[in-house]
């Protein structure tokens, strides 16, 4: 267990606020940014509504963890107000809902000069539209009234920026696009780590890989149906790394299609990059995204990619299809044909400087600019 828990810090250059340190992409981005900030010699606070997380070991030891001790996110507002009044960090970065809204409101109630920047990570209209929960469907209303009070609004892609502007009426010129700091110095090192799995031994059929939470957004049923078509024409295997609520439905579909011997769902793994490095093709089957980190990671380790042309992110990442195959959303036949094209040996070279915009150093520079931290 980490020892760097505190309620205050003598000097803080930048604070990052999360409700809970989960294992998702947004939390991974914040962890990467905190690493980048401390590498620039900055004092960083990671402010959490509560610290009941198994992922705290991933926080860099130089980062000061501030536990607001809130039983739930909604009750963290008074504690965050108190933190801002005591510490008065020059800048506060937050991500996710309702963390962003609480951060903006906390500055208002604390009456401090802290510069609050909020980060929007997904297509708000699609994300909210898929939910029946009233709390989630109320997000656009809160965003419409609170985001204009933020000192800065960041989105992870142009598509997310356009969607946010359209849904919430925020002018595009008030939104800055900063791609995720996905490519970190240790990514290549992790990709080369030993992987003990029989599917990746010499002489085995090629592995088609997907990574993501097992939920509707990722549309893994389309991928499984596409794989059934691929297997009719060539020997191959499909591996989906991830956890989530749709596991039982996906397992039932695999059984229904008779694919049990060639499809694996091994749950979440600590190092997906070793699997990426040894797979033949990476597939993103999502129905919608903000900016899919896994697609960038797969490109960074050198695996050919196939992706749905969903809103938003993949077309930006793949330079409108120049660096990977883009296919329609929810079309298993098109997905199967694209996978077969890659399995036949066809791939697209990526310009060496293209991936730089997704690197940690590039993102840190952009975030420090909008946070106005030097």
């Amino acid at each position: 267990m980490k020892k760097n828990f505190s309620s205050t810090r003598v000097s803080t250059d930048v604070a990052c606020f999360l409700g809970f340190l989960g294992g998702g992409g947004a939390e991974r981005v914040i962890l990467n940014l905190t690493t980048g900030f401390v590498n620039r010699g900055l004092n960083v606070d990671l402010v959490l509504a509560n610290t009941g997380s198994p992922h705290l070991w991933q926080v860099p030891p130089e980062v000061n963890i501030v536990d607001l001790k809130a039983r739930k996110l909604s009750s963290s507002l008074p504690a965050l107000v108190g933190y801002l009044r005591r510490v008065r960090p020059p800048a506060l970065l937050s991500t996710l809902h309702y963390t962003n809204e609480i951060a903006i409101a906390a500055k208002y109630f604390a009456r401090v000069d802290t510069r609050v920047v909020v980060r929007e990570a997904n297509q708000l209209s699609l994300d909210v539209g898929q939910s029946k929960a009233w709390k989630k469907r109320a997000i656009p209303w809160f965003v419409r009234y609170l985001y204009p009070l933020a000192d800065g609004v960041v989105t992870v892609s142009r598509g997310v920026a356009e969607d946010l502007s359209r849904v919430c009426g925020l002018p595009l010129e008030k939104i800055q696009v900063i791609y995720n700091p996905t490519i970190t110095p240790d990514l290549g090192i992790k990709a080369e780590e030993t992987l003990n799995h029989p599917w990746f031994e010499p002489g085995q059929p090629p592995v088609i890989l997907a990574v993501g939470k097992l939920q509707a957004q990722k549309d893994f049923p389309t991928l499984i149906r596409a794989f059934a078509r691929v297997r009719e024409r060539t020997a191959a295997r499909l591996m989906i790394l991830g956890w989530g609520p749709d596991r039982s439905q996906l397992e039932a579909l695999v059984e229904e299609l008779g694919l049990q011997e060639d499809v694996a769902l091994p749950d979440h793994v600590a190092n997906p990059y070793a699997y990426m490095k040894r797979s033949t093709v990476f597939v993103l089957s999502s129905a919608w995204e903000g900016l899919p980190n896994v697609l960038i990671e797969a490109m960074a380790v050198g695996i050919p990619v196939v992706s749905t042309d969903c809103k938003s992110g993949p077309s930006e990442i793949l330079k409108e299809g120049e660096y990977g195959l883009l296919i329609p959303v929810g079309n298993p036949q098109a997905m199967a044909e694209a996978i077969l094209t890659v399995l036949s040996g066809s791939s697209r070279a990526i310009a060496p400087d293209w991936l730089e915009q997704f690197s940690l150093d590039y993102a840190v520079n952009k975030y420090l600019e909008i946070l106005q931290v030097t």
Side-chain angles (χ1 to χ4, degrees):
M1 180 59 68
K2 293 176 63 61
K3 303 294 186 181
N4 54 336
F5 287 87
S6 176
S7 59
T8 62
R9 184 178 187 146
V10 175
S11 174
T12 297
D13 297 308
V14 59
C16 298
F17 176 49
L18 287 171
F20 177 80
L21 187 61
E27 293 92 340
R28 190 162 67 251
V29 166
I30 293 298
L31 288 175
N32 287 347
L33 287 174
T34 61
T35 299
F37 293 156
V38 297
N39 287 343
R40 301 292 179 90
L42 299 173
N43 292 326
V44 181
D45 281 358
L46 177 60
V47 184
L48 302 173
N50 67 74
T51 55
S53 167
H55 301 284
L56 291 176
W57 65 270
Q58 300 180 61
V59 180
E62 301 88 350
V63 173
N64 184 53
I65 299 177
V66 179
D67 185 1
L68 298 182
K69 303 184 187 304
R71 296 183 63 183
K72 53 185 179 179
L73 180 60
S74 59
S75 63
S76 67
L77 176 57
L80 184 59
V81 169
Y83 165 81
L84 293 178
R85 285 175 176 167
R86 288 191 307 272
V87 180
R88 295 180 177 268
L92 176 71
L93 171 66
S94 72
T95 189
L96 300 174
H97 301 281
Y98 285 97
T99 315
N100 289 346
E101 291 79 358
I102 289 171
I104 297 168
K107 175 182 176 175
Y108 175 82
F109 289 116
R111 304 293 184 185
V112 294
D113 294 330
T114 298
R115 182 173 176 82
V116 172
V117 174
V118 296
R119 173 182 174 273
E120 190 70 34
N122 221 328
Q123 284 272 336
L124 188 58
S125 63
L126 294 175
D127 200 27
V128 170
Q130 295 291 322
S131 176
K132 296 180 180 179
W134 71 266
K135 287 184 178 180
K136 196 162 190 178
R137 297 187 70 86
I139 288 174
W141 186 91
F142 284 101
V143 169
R144 178 178 293 272
Y145 287 98
L146 288 175
Y147 272 33
L149 301 178
D151 298 293
V153 176
V154 171
T155 63
V156 299
S157 69
R158 293 192 302 272
V160 171
E162 292 164 359
D163 182 74
L164 180 64
S165 177
R166 182 173 58 253
V167 172
C168 303
L170 198 65
L172 270 174
E173 58 269 21
K174 298 290 186 181
I175 304 171
Q176 181 170 340
V177 176
I178 305 177
Y179 291 137
N180 289 337
T182 303
I183 303 175
T184 59
D186 64 343
L187 191 152
I189 297 172
K190 291 180 178 178
E192 298 296 338
E193 288 182 1
T194 301
L195 177 60
N196 295 315
H197 193 288
W199 281 16
F200 297 98
E201 292 177 356
Q204 294 299 308
V207 175
I208 301 157
L209 184 71
V211 180
K213 189 173 182 180
L214 308 183
Q215 61 181 359
Q217 177 185 354
K218 304 304 180 181
D219 194 14
F220 289 130
T222 291
L223 174 56
I224 292 170
R225 292 188 176 96
F227 176 71
R229 290 168 166 81
V230 168
R231 207 190 63 160
E232 288 174 356
R233 296 166 60 176
T234 188
R237 286 167 171 161
L238 171 64
M239 180 176 290
I240 302 174
L241 304 179
W243 59 273
D246 291 354
R247 170 175 290 277
S248 60
Q249 296 96 307
L250 296 177
E251 290 174 338
L253 179 60
V254 169
E255 184 173 354
E256 175 188 332
L257 297 175
L259 301 172
Q260 301 95 313
E261 297 300 316
D262 293 319
V263 176
L265 297 114
D267 214 327
H268 174 79
V269 298
N271 180 12
Y273 314 120
Y275 290 82
M276 290 180 182
K277 183 71 176 179
R278 292 158 179 81
S279 297
T280 304
V281 55
F282 182 87
V283 181
L284 184 88
S285 55
S286 298
W288 75 90
E289 285 284 352
L291 189 82
N293 293 332
V294 289
L295 191 59
I296 300 167
E297 291 164 344
M299 295 168 67
V301 302
I303 178 176
V305 298
V306 170
S307 175
T308 53
D309 192 12
C310 66
K311 298 180 179 180
S312 60
S315 63
E316 293 180 45
I317 295 169
L318 297 177
K319 200 177 180 181
E320 310 301 329
E322 184 174 335
Y323 296 138
L325 297 176
L326 288 169
I327 55 172
V329 172
N331 189 323
Q333 183 59 43
M335 186 176 292
E337 293 300 326
I339 292 170
L340 287 164
T341 296
V342 175
L343 292 180
S344 70
S346 176
S347 61
R348 303 183 180 189
I350 302 171
D353 60 346
W354 177 254
L355 294 176
E356 176 61 27
Q357 61 192 318
F358 307 111
S359 70
L360 177 58
D361 278 346
Y362 187 92
V364 166
N365 287 337
K366 290 297 185 180
Y367 271 100
L368 291 180
E369 286 179 10
I370 194 170
L371 290 165
Q372 297 184 3
V373 173
T374 57

